[in-house]
Amino acid sequence: MLNICIVAGARPNFIKVAPLVRIIIKAKAEGRAVDYHLVYTGAENDPTLESSLFEDLGIPHPDVFLGVDCVNLNELTGRVMSEFEKYLDANRTDVVIVVDDLASTMAVAIVAKKHGLTLAHLVAGTRSFDINMPKEINRLVIDGLSDLLFTAGIGSTSTATREGAELANVYMVGNILMDTLRFNRSRLVRPSLFDTLQLKEHDYIVFTLNRKALLADRDNLGRMLTSLCRAAGDVKIIAPLRNGAEEVVLPLVKDFDNFIIVKPLSYLEFGYLTANAKGIVTDSGNVAEEATFNGVPCITLNSYTEHIETVKCGSNVLVGEDAGKLADAVSDMVMGRWKQCSLPDRWDGRTAERILQILFNIK
């Protein structure tokens, strides 16, 4: 029996591991000798995990909640290490799969290796090449400890091998987010706000914002939002913002009728909103990847992206934190002047299938 522990440290992680959970459940039902636990490092009452999330993703709720909830990253790392060690002591585990680059992800990786378990990193080889970013340190540590590095593309594979990972341990399995998007393509839900706001498909811009550095510089954020609203003209800007971001953004857009802040949507509703937009302005790498999959023009409020394929062949452009560049890009978006884009290699929806087969082969 292959016992797999899949660990999620935040809401976006569930979106990426959902295909793995589904394919393991399917394999088990077909008589394969495999089982899993889905572990969440946070609390069961985490407000970011809306009640519909797991139903939307087509997976059961987590089997275990470690219950760690704190702001200080060093404290969080220590507490996750302690709680995950208790989990491993009580549950037979052969493979631990971690995803992305959170402090909790790094904590789990350290404990798994101290227990002598096979550690697999999903979305390995991702780099910003800015060592001042806490997440960059997490990535280096997790990749350095991992026995199996599952990368999304050629660039990530090159990074992992260049930094010393053995080529035999690096697998370009593809972008697992595409498994989720393909699974949900026919399940998306049209939000009621289309009726209340009289929205029409492909005639609005979606705006998302979460990055702390952007929110902290309110003067520059104000300039960027002013540029965005003016360049959009009569096109409505729909902004599903969580409380912290809403508090910062609201006073900066009070003079613009075309900027509309709405409450966060369910996963399937947000998927419909972005898939049918005229364009997207975001600071999220995942949202930019989804935009490329859907062929929707996307502007990322950053000077770099860990998902460079969304720029090289996808629908994404980078404007940094420059209000002038943002205005020019939004004008192009509104006028329909956008680059041709295509899907990167192995965005085929079979990533989870490849990963499970690799795990069977090595065990």
Side-chain angles (χ1 to χ4, degrees):
M1 175 70 71
L2 177 61
N3 293 290
I4 301 172
C5 173
I6 303 171
V7 183
R11 182 183 183 277
N13 291 171
F14 288 112
I15 297 168
K16 292 185 179 179
V17 302
L20 270 176
V21 172
R22 290 196 302 269
I23 202 164
I24 292 171
I25 291 173
K26 180 174 181 287
K28 184 179 179 181
E30 293 171 348
R32 304 291 297 272
V34 63
D35 205 352
Y36 82 98
H37 272 170
L38 178 60
V39 176
Y40 181 48
T41 62
E44 190 167 1
N45 62 349
D46 187 334
T48 68
L49 305 182
E50 69 271 21
S51 59
S52 63
L53 177 62
F54 300 102
E55 181 180 350
D56 286 352
L57 294 174
I59 62 172
H61 285 67
D63 302 284
V64 176
F65 293 85
L66 298 186
V68 178
D69 180 20
C70 56
V71 176
N72 184 282
L73 293 181
N74 291 328
E75 180 185 357
L76 182 145
T77 300
R79 289 177 58 187
V80 170
M81 289 179 68
S82 176
E83 294 301 319
F84 189 62
E85 185 164 38
K86 294 175 186 176
Y87 166 83
L88 291 180
D89 288 340
N91 296 273
R92 180 180 173 182
T93 305
D94 299 306
V95 179
V96 175
I97 300 178
V98 296
V99 57
D100 285 337
D101 48 23
L102 301 173
S104 55
T105 312
M106 180 182 68
V108 166
I110 293 170
V111 174
K113 287 310 296 177
K114 286 188 173 183
H115 276 250
L117 302 175
T118 298
L119 176 65
H121 187 197
L122 182 56
V123 199
T126 302
R127 297 289 183 274
S128 66
F129 301 104
D130 181 0
I131 199 62
N132 294 314
M133 290 180 59
K135 285 187 177 182
E136 188 76 353
I137 298 171
N138 298 343
R139 294 165 185 152
L140 291 165
V141 172
I142 299 164
D143 278 354
L145 293 174
S146 293
D147 302 287
L148 303 171
L149 290 90
F150 296 133
T151 66
I154 295 173
S156 298
T157 299
S158 298
T159 297
T161 54
R162 188 169 60 247
E163 291 179 355
E166 293 186 23
L167 189 58
N169 297 333
V170 181
Y171 298 87
M172 195 180 86
V173 293
N175 190 334
I176 198 162
L177 183 60
M178 300 307 116
D179 294 36
T180 295
L181 295 182
R182 290 181 183 275
F183 175 78
N184 286 314
R185 202 167 197 178
S186 63
R187 303 173 67 238
L188 299 179
V189 176
R190 190 176 191 265
S192 59
L193 60 80
F194 272 80
D195 296 324
T196 57
L197 298 178
Q198 297 183 319
L199 291 182
K200 295 180 180 178
E201 280 77 359
H202 313 295
D203 195 30
Y204 59 87
I205 293 171
V206 176
F207 177 83
T208 77
L209 182 64
N210 288 292
R211 195 154 58 92
K212 291 180 180 178
L214 272 173
L215 291 167
D217 189 352
R218 299 193 182 194
D219 289 341
N220 190 56
L221 180 59
R223 289 190 289 271
M224 295 177 71
L225 290 169
T226 296
S227 293
L228 167 62
C229 293
R230 288 175 176 168
D234 295 331
V235 177
K236 292 178 180 176
I237 302 164
I238 309 301
L241 300 178
R242 300 195 179 275
N243 291 339
E246 181 180 0
E247 290 174 6
V248 174
V249 170
L250 185 58
L252 301 177
V253 297
K254 57 182 174 58
D255 295 328
F256 297 99
D257 294 335
N258 62 341
F259 195 100
I260 304 168
I261 297 177
V262 299
K263 295 298 181 184
L265 302 172
S266 73
Y267 179 73
L268 294 181
E269 288 177 323
F270 183 73
Y272 187 97
L273 184 73
T274 54
N276 291 281
K278 175 184 283 289
I280 299 169
V281 179
T282 185
D283 61 350
S284 166
N286 287 349
V287 172
E289 287 182 298
E290 293 179 16
T292 283
F293 176 77
N294 291 314
V296 175
C298 182
I299 298 167
T300 294
L301 305 176
N302 214 328
S303 56
Y304 72 91
T305 175
E306 292 93 344
H307 313 277
I308 193 62
E309 63 275 11
T310 64
V311 175
K312 287 186 173 180
C313 61
S315 64
N316 188 24
V317 299
L318 307 178
V319 299
E321 299 173 16
D322 187 308
K325 290 181 179 178
L326 175 60
D328 291 342
V330 173
S331 294
D332 288 341
M333 180 182 283
V334 170
M335 296 301 295
R337 300 187 297 258
W338 210 254
K339 61 180 179 176
Q340 295 293 316
C341 62
S342 60
L343 288 184
D345 188 27
R346 295 206 173 183
W347 284 34
D348 56 4
R350 299 183 60 191
T351 295
E353 178 184 328
R354 295 185 187 104
I355 290 172
L356 186 57
Q357 189 56 54
I358 291 166
L359 295 178
F360 277 133
N361 290 343
I362 66 168
K363 289 296 180 179

mmCIF file of all heavy atoms in Angstrom, residues 327-356:
data_model
loop_
_atom_site.group_PDB
_atom_site.id
_atom_site.type_symbol
_atom_site.label_atom_id
_atom_site.label_comp_id
_atom_site.label_asym_id
_atom_site.label_seq_id
_atom_site.Cartn_x
_atom_site.Cartn_y
_atom_site.Cartn_z
ATOM 1 N N ALA A 327 -1.578 52.300 -17.617
ATOM 2 C CA ALA A 327 -2.558 53.025 -18.430
ATOM 3 C C ALA A 327 -2.452 52.624 -19.901
ATOM 4 O O ALA A 327 -3.470 52.399 -20.571
ATOM 5 C CB ALA A 327 -2.359 54.530 -18.270
ATOM 6 N N ASP A 328 -1.225 52.522 -20.414
ATOM 7 C CA ASP A 328 -1.038 52.139 -21.816
ATOM 8 C C ASP A 328 -1.564 50.732 -22.080
ATOM 9 O O ASP A 328 -2.237 50.483 -23.095
ATOM 10 C CB ASP A 328 0.452 52.194 -22.178
ATOM 11 C CG ASP A 328 0.990 53.623 -22.210
ATOM 12 O OD1 ASP A 328 0.179 54.557 -22.298
ATOM 13 O OD2 ASP A 328 2.227 53.788 -22.138
ATOM 14 N N ALA A 329 -1.276 49.814 -21.148
ATOM 15 C CA ALA A 329 -1.714 48.429 -21.339
ATOM 16 C C ALA A 329 -3.236 48.316 -21.254
ATOM 17 O O ALA A 329 -3.857 47.570 -22.032
ATOM 18 C CB ALA A 329 -1.044 47.527 -20.303
ATOM 19 N N VAL A 330 -3.845 49.031 -20.315
ATOM 20 C CA VAL A 330 -5.305 48.989 -20.197
ATOM 21 C C VAL A 330 -5.970 49.583 -21.443
ATOM 22 O O VAL A 330 -6.986 49.066 -21.931
ATOM 23 C CB VAL A 330 -5.768 49.728 -18.920
ATOM 24 C CG1 VAL A 330 -7.292 49.839 -18.883
ATOM 25 C CG2 VAL A 330 -5.286 48.996 -17.670
ATOM 26 N N SER A 331 -5.391 50.633 -21.985
ATOM 27 C CA SER A 331 -5.925 51.212 -23.228
ATOM 28 C C SER A 331 -5.898 50.190 -24.356
ATOM 29 O O SER A 331 -6.870 50.049 -25.108
ATOM 30 C CB SER A 331 -5.113 52.452 -23.618
ATOM 31 O OG SER A 331 -5.267 53.490 -22.675
ATOM 32 N N ASP A 332 -4.783 49.464 -24.472
ATOM 33 C CA ASP A 332 -4.700 48.406 -25.491
ATOM 34 C C ASP A 332 -5.744 47.315 -25.239
ATOM 35 O O ASP A 332 -6.369 46.808 -26.184
ATOM 36 C CB ASP A 332 -3.303 47.784 -25.479
ATOM 37 C CG ASP A 332 -2.238 48.714 -26.061
ATOM 38 O OD1 ASP A 332 -2.614 49.655 -26.784
ATOM 39 O OD2 ASP A 332 -1.050 48.492 -25.787
ATOM 40 N N MET A 333 -5.930 46.978 -23.976
ATOM 41 C CA MET A 333 -6.899 45.946 -23.609
ATOM 42 C C MET A 333 -8.307 46.373 -24.012
ATOM 43 O O MET A 333 -9.065 45.599 -24.628
ATOM 44 C CB MET A 333 -6.817 45.694 -22.094
ATOM 45 C CG MET A 333 -7.759 44.648 -21.546
ATOM 46 S SD MET A 333 -7.571 44.501 -19.741
ATOM 47 C CE MET A 333 -6.061 43.559 -19.629
ATOM 48 N N VAL A 334 -8.671 47.591 -23.691
ATOM 49 C CA VAL A 334 -10.015 48.094 -23.981
ATOM 50 C C VAL A 334 -10.251 48.184 -25.485
ATOM 51 O O VAL A 334 -11.353 47.875 -25.983
ATOM 52 C CB VAL A 334 -10.224 49.467 -23.313
ATOM 53 C CG1 VAL A 334 -11.515 50.125 -23.798
ATOM 54 C CG2 VAL A 334 -10.255 49.316 -21.793
ATOM 55 N N MET A 335 -9.218 48.574 -26.229
ATOM 56 C CA MET A 335 -9.347 48.735 -27.681
ATOM 57 C C MET A 335 -9.196 47.423 -28.442
ATOM 58 O O MET A 335 -9.350 47.393 -29.666
ATOM 59 C CB MET A 335 -8.294 49.733 -28.171
ATOM 60 C CG MET A 335 -8.462 51.144 -27.616
ATOM 61 S SD MET A 335 -10.072 51.866 -28.037
ATOM 62 C CE MET A 335 -9.926 51.983 -29.832
ATOM 63 N N GLY A 336 -8.897 46.334 -27.735
ATOM 64 C CA GLY A 336 -8.760 45.042 -28.392
ATOM 65 C C GLY A 336 -7.434 44.840 -29.092
ATOM 66 O O GLY A 336 -7.306 43.958 -29.950
ATOM 67 N N ARG A 337 -6.447 45.662 -28.727
ATOM 68 C CA ARG A 337 -5.108 45.521 -29.323
ATOM 69 C C ARG A 337 -4.257 44.647 -28.403
ATOM 70 O O ARG A 337 -3.577 45.145 -27.521
ATOM 71 C CB ARG A 337 -4.452 46.891 -29.510
ATOM 72 C CG ARG A 337 -5.208 47.844 -30.420
ATOM 73 C CD ARG A 337 -4.379 49.110 -30.673
ATOM 74 N NE ARG A 337 -4.129 49.861 -29.435
ATOM 75 C CZ ARG A 337 -4.796 50.954 -29.085
ATOM 76 N NH1 ARG A 337 -5.776 51.412 -29.866
ATOM 77 N NH2 ARG A 337 -4.502 51.594 -27.956
ATOM 78 N N TRP A 338 -4.320 43.348 -28.587
ATOM 79 C CA TRP A 338 -3.574 42.453 -27.693
ATOM 80 C C TRP A 338 -2.793 41.438 -28.507
ATOM 81 O O TRP A 338 -3.134 41.129 -29.651
ATOM 82 C CB TRP A 338 -4.514 41.743 -26.724
ATOM 83 C CG TRP A 338 -3.856 41.435 -25.409
ATOM 84 C CD1 TRP A 338 -3.428 40.223 -24.964
ATOM 85 C CD2 TRP A 338 -3.529 42.364 -24.376
ATOM 86 N NE1 TRP A 338 -2.857 40.338 -23.720
ATOM 87 C CE2 TRP A 338 -2.912 41.650 -23.334
ATOM 88 C CE3 TRP A 338 -3.698 43.746 -24.236
ATOM 89 C CZ2 TRP A 338 -2.457 42.258 -22.164
ATOM 90 C CZ3 TRP A 338 -3.252 44.354 -23.072
ATOM 91 C CH2 TRP A 338 -2.641 43.619 -22.051
ATOM 92 N N LYS A 339 -1.749 40.919 -27.905
ATOM 93 C CA LYS A 339 -0.874 39.975 -28.599
ATOM 94 C C LYS A 339 -1.562 38.625 -28.803
ATOM 95 O O LYS A 339 -2.483 38.253 -28.079
ATOM 96 C CB LYS A 339 0.414 39.776 -27.803
ATOM 97 C CG LYS A 339 0.200 39.207 -26.403
ATOM 98 C CD LYS A 339 1.520 39.025 -25.676
ATOM 99 C CE LYS A 339 1.292 38.487 -24.265
ATOM 100 N NZ LYS A 339 2.566 38.196 -23.563
ATOM 101 N N GLN A 340 -1.086 37.893 -29.793
ATOM 102 C CA GLN A 340 -1.541 36.526 -29.999
ATOM 103 C C GLN A 340 -0.939 35.642 -28.908
ATOM 104 O O GLN A 340 0.197 35.845 -28.485
ATOM 105 C CB GLN A 340 -1.113 36.014 -31.377
ATOM 106 C CG GLN A 340 -1.758 36.742 -32.542
ATOM 107 C CD GLN A 340 -3.250 36.493 -32.621
ATOM 108 O OE1 GLN A 340 -3.700 35.357 -32.467
ATOM 109 N NE2 GLN A 340 -4.020 37.550 -32.867
ATOM 110 N N CYS A 341 -1.708 34.674 -28.450
ATOM 111 C CA CYS A 341 -1.176 33.811 -27.405
ATOM 112 C C CYS A 341 -1.520 32.354 -27.688
ATOM 113 O O CYS A 341 -2.399 32.043 -28.496
ATOM 114 C CB CYS A 341 -1.712 34.225 -26.036
ATOM 115 S SG CYS A 341 -3.494 34.086 -25.860
ATOM 116 N N SER A 342 -0.779 31.458 -27.012
ATOM 117 C CA SER A 342 -1.000 30.019 -27.167
ATOM 118 C C SER A 342 -0.777 29.347 -25.822
ATOM 119 O O SER A 342 -0.260 29.962 -24.887
ATOM 120 C CB SER A 342 -0.050 29.446 -28.221
ATOM 121 O OG SER A 342 1.305 29.663 -27.830
ATOM 122 N N LEU A 343 -1.126 28.077 -25.733
ATOM 123 C CA LEU A 343 -0.939 27.335 -24.493
ATOM 124 C C LEU A 343 0.476 26.766 -24.429
ATOM 125 O O LEU A 343 0.956 26.172 -25.399
ATOM 126 C CB LEU A 343 -1.950 26.191 -24.393
ATOM 127 C CG LEU A 343 -3.406 26.566 -24.130
ATOM 128 C CD1 LEU A 343 -4.241 25.302 -23.964
ATOM 129 C CD2 LEU A 343 -3.551 27.443 -22.901
ATOM 130 N N PRO A 344 1.148 26.917 -23.298
ATOM 131 C CA PRO A 344 2.473 26.319 -23.125
ATOM 132 C C PRO A 344 2.412 24.786 -23.155
ATOM 133 O O PRO A 344 1.335 24.187 -23.031
ATOM 134 C CB PRO A 344 2.922 26.827 -21.750
ATOM 135 C CG PRO A 344 2.104 28.059 -21.520
ATOM 136 C CD PRO A 344 0.782 27.783 -22.167
ATOM 137 N N ASP A 345 3.573 24.178 -23.269
ATOM 138 C CA ASP A 345 3.684 22.724 -23.326
ATOM 139 C C ASP A 345 3.172 22.092 -22.035
ATOM 140 O O ASP A 345 3.408 22.607 -20.942
ATOM 141 C CB ASP A 345 5.148 22.342 -23.561
ATOM 142 C CG ASP A 345 5.324 20.855 -23.825
ATOM 143 O OD1 ASP A 345 4.376 20.228 -24.329
ATOM 144 O OD2 ASP A 345 6.415 20.324 -23.526
ATOM 145 N N ARG A 346 2.474 20.979 -22.179
ATOM 146 C CA ARG A 346 1.969 20.164 -21.074
ATOM 147 C C ARG A 346 0.948 20.887 -20.194
ATOM 148 O O ARG A 346 0.842 20.609 -19.011
ATOM 149 C CB ARG A 346 3.116 19.589 -20.241
ATOM 150 C CG ARG A 346 3.968 18.612 -21.027
ATOM 151 C CD ARG A 346 4.666 17.600 -20.155
ATOM 152 N NE ARG A 346 5.332 16.594 -20.989
ATOM 153 C CZ ARG A 346 5.996 15.537 -20.531
ATOM 154 N NH1 ARG A 346 6.080 15.338 -19.231
ATOM 155 N NH2 ARG A 346 6.563 14.688 -21.351
ATOM 156 N N TRP A 347 0.218 21.787 -20.797
ATOM 157 C CA TRP A 347 -0.961 22.343 -20.125
ATOM 158 C C TRP A 347 -2.173 21.536 -20.592
ATOM 159 O O TRP A 347 -3.188 22.083 -21.009
ATOM 160 C CB TRP A 347 -1.132 23.817 -20.472
ATOM 161 C CG TRP A 347 -0.191 24.742 -19.764
ATOM 162 C CD1 TRP A 347 1.098 24.496 -19.401
ATOM 163 C CD2 TRP A 347 -0.482 26.070 -19.332
ATOM 164 N NE1 TRP A 347 1.636 25.582 -18.777
ATOM 165 C CE2 TRP A 347 0.689 26.585 -18.720
ATOM 166 C CE3 TRP A 347 -1.600 26.897 -19.405
ATOM 167 C CZ2 TRP A 347 0.762 27.869 -18.184
ATOM 168 C CZ3 TRP A 347 -1.524 28.171 -18.874
ATOM 169 C CH2 TRP A 347 -0.357 28.648 -18.263
ATOM 170 N N ASP A 348 -2.066 20.218 -20.503
ATOM 171 C CA ASP A 348 -3.036 19.331 -21.132
ATOM 172 C C ASP A 348 -4.008 18.683 -20.163
ATOM 173 O O ASP A 348 -4.843 17.870 -20.556
ATOM 174 C CB ASP A 348 -2.306 18.241 -21.927
ATOM 175 C CG ASP A 348 -1.317 17.442 -21.070
ATOM 176 O OD1 ASP A 348 -1.245 17.682 -19.853
ATOM 177 O OD2 ASP A 348 -0.611 16.588 -21.643
ATOM 178 N N GLY A 349 -3.896 18.983 -18.875
ATOM 179 C CA GLY A 349 -4.826 18.416 -17.907
ATOM 180 C C GLY A 349 -4.482 17.020 -17.440
ATOM 181 O O GLY A 349 -5.302 16.354 -16.799
ATOM 182 N N ARG A 350 -3.244 16.555 -17.701
ATOM 183 C CA ARG A 350 -2.856 15.191 -17.314
ATOM 184 C C ARG A 350 -1.703 15.174 -16.314
ATOM 185 O O ARG A 350 -1.051 14.145 -16.123
ATOM 186 C CB ARG A 350 -2.475 14.399 -18.572
ATOM 187 C CG ARG A 350 -3.598 14.264 -19.583
ATOM 188 C CD ARG A 350 -3.191 13.407 -20.760
ATOM 189 N NE ARG A 350 -2.817 12.064 -20.341
ATOM 190 C CZ ARG A 350 -2.220 11.183 -21.139
ATOM 191 N NH1 ARG A 350 -1.908 11.510 -22.381
ATOM 192 N NH2 ARG A 350 -1.917 9.977 -20.686
ATOM 193 N N THR A 351 -1.464 16.287 -15.653
ATOM 194 C CA THR A 351 -0.344 16.382 -14.721
ATOM 195 C C THR A 351 -0.503 15.437 -13.535
ATOM 196 O O THR A 351 0.441 14.729 -13.156
ATOM 197 C CB THR A 351 -0.187 17.835 -14.231
ATOM 198 O OG1 THR A 351 0.167 18.652 -15.351
ATOM 199 C CG2 THR A 351 0.895 17.947 -13.179
ATOM 200 N N ALA A 352 -1.674 15.417 -12.916
ATOM 201 C CA ALA A 352 -1.892 14.540 -11.764
ATOM 202 C C ALA A 352 -1.713 13.074 -12.141
ATOM 203 O O ALA A 352 -1.151 12.280 -11.366
ATOM 204 C CB ALA A 352 -3.289 14.770 -11.192
ATOM 205 N N GLU A 353 -2.163 12.712 -13.325
ATOM 206 C CA GLU A 353 -2.000 11.349 -13.820
ATOM 207 C C GLU A 353 -0.514 10.978 -13.919
ATOM 208 O O GLU A 353 -0.105 9.883 -13.500
ATOM 209 C CB GLU A 353 -2.669 11.246 -15.197
ATOM 210 C CG GLU A 353 -2.563 9.913 -15.880
ATOM 211 C CD GLU A 353 -3.168 9.964 -17.282
ATOM 212 O OE1 GLU A 353 -4.138 10.729 -17.477
ATOM 213 O OE2 GLU A 353 -2.661 9.252 -18.158
ATOM 214 N N ARG A 354 0.300 11.896 -14.430
ATOM 215 C CA ARG A 354 1.741 11.636 -14.539
ATOM 216 C C ARG A 354 2.378 11.489 -13.155
ATOM 217 O O ARG A 354 3.218 10.606 -12.940
ATOM 218 C CB ARG A 354 2.417 12.778 -15.308
ATOM 219 C CG ARG A 354 1.989 12.911 -16.755
ATOM 220 C CD ARG A 354 2.801 13.993 -17.484
ATOM 221 N NE ARG A 354 2.265 14.231 -18.810
ATOM 222 C CZ ARG A 354 1.529 15.283 -19.152
ATOM 223 N NH1 ARG A 354 1.258 16.226 -18.264
ATOM 224 N NH2 ARG A 354 1.062 15.415 -20.376
ATOM 225 N N ILE A 355 1.991 12.356 -12.239
ATOM 226 C CA ILE A 355 2.580 12.319 -10.895
ATOM 227 C C ILE A 355 2.287 10.996 -10.206
ATOM 228 O O ILE A 355 3.193 10.361 -9.627
ATOM 229 C CB ILE A 355 2.049 13.497 -10.050
ATOM 230 C CG1 ILE A 355 2.626 14.817 -10.564
ATOM 231 C CG2 ILE A 355 2.393 13.299 -8.576
ATOM 232 C CD1 ILE A 355 2.016 16.050 -9.927
ATOM 233 N N LEU A 356 1.045 10.544 -10.246
ATOM 234 C CA LEU A 356 0.698 9.297 -9.565
ATOM 235 C C LEU A 356 1.441 8.113 -10.184
ATOM 236 O O LEU A 356 1.911 7.223 -9.459
ATOM 237 C CB LEU A 356 -0.811 9.063 -9.613
ATOM 238 C CG LEU A 356 -1.308 7.853 -8.809
ATOM 239 C CD1 LEU A 356 -0.898 7.972 -7.346
ATOM 240 C CD2 LEU A 356 -2.825 7.705 -8.933
#
